[in-house]
Amino acid sequence: MPSAPMIGAVILAAGAGRRMGACKPLLEIDGRTLIERLVETFRAAGVAEPRVVVAPGADELIRRLAGLRVPAVVNPDPSRGMFSSVRTGVAALPADLDGFFVHPADIPFVRSETLRRLIAALTPGVAVAHPRVAGRRGHPPLLAAEWRPVLLRGADPPDGLRGVLAAAPVGRVAEVPCDDEGARFDLDTPVDWRAAQRPESPLPRTGPAV
């Protein structure tokens, strides 16, 4: 019987949160921070090696991550853009992984079932698996291990991770249908935060999100 793939995750949490006016990973819903919920969701999907990229001085977030036994990786200059955090996180992953997710911390309601479907789709020959919700791509992409050296070399690409992954041959890209609104819900502003907490919201409030 083949062994389960070794999958890591880079969770991007080095943003300033200016539009929200708060550190988004530390926002709480039903008594739990969003970063706690997100880490638990990845772990429930079998992701053994998450790494969370944080900004310098994010002491409270680093303390919370230590309590979760998750390594915090400091991006020394997040003002360079999100791809600098992608590189920082990927460099901190173990070298023997079969693949890894790259996931923004401000999309906290993705379901672990979505992550499991992506892992199942990462078969030999697949370079990247994307969740597809209502005909559109969501988060997170799952990258085969071959992308690690690609992401770590050269100058920062102008179109970020999306531009890099666009080079994957069509025949090596898995589009995975998922009925998961959390894979596309971007928590940017206080309006988004209020929408996520409404009783009628389809987003899961307790977790890990299955």
Side-chain angles (χ1 to χ4, degrees):
M1 184 174 180
S3 58
M6 286 291 295
I7 302 295
V10 174
I11 300 174
L12 307 172
R18 292 187 182 91
R19 283 191 288 173
M20 180 64 72
C23 178
K24 288 183 277 189
L26 294 178
L27 293 174
E28 293 190 5
I29 189 166
D30 292 345
R32 296 166 62 248
T33 65
L34 295 183
I35 195 63
E36 289 170 337
R37 162 192 190 85
L38 195 51
V39 166
E40 290 172 10
T41 297
F42 274 92
R43 282 178 168 161
V47 176
E49 296 287 349
R51 301 288 187 270
V52 179
V53 183
V54 304
D59 297 339
E60 177 59 18
L61 179 54
I62 291 171
R63 186 184 70 79
R64 295 292 186 107
L65 291 168
L68 295 169
R69 300 186 304 280
V70 174
V73 187
V74 178
N75 178 353
D77 187 10
S79 67
R80 289 174 50 203
M82 186 176 288
F83 194 80
S84 68
S85 288
V86 172
R87 277 190 158 161
T88 300
V90 169
L93 289 171
D96 59 349
L97 296 175
D98 297 298
F100 53 92
F101 291 99
V102 179
H103 189 75
D106 57 3
I107 301 181
F109 298 110
V110 64
R111 297 178 182 274
S112 59
E113 172 59 25
T114 297
L115 306 180
R116 286 191 289 268
R117 287 189 181 189
L118 293 167
I119 294 170
L122 196 70
T123 54
V126 172
V128 58
H130 295 278
R132 200 162 188 88
V133 183
R136 300 177 64 188
R137 283 182 180 174
H139 288 278
L142 174 58
L143 285 62
E146 67 192 72
W147 288 102
R148 191 174 192 269
V150 176
L151 296 175
L152 294 179
R153 68 175 178 243
D156 290 356
D159 296 326
L161 181 62
R162 181 179 299 180
V164 174
L165 296 182
V170 173
R172 300 192 63 206
V173 177
E175 303 281 354
V176 183
C178 300
D179 182 17
D180 182 0
E181 294 189 37
R184 286 194 53 83
F185 186 87
D186 199 341
L187 192 65
D188 277 336
T189 68
V191 173
D192 299 330
W193 181 229
R194 289 193 292 272
Q197 297 182 83
R198 291 182 187 134
E200 68 273 17
S201 170
L203 300 170
R205 293 177 58 83
T206 59
V210 296

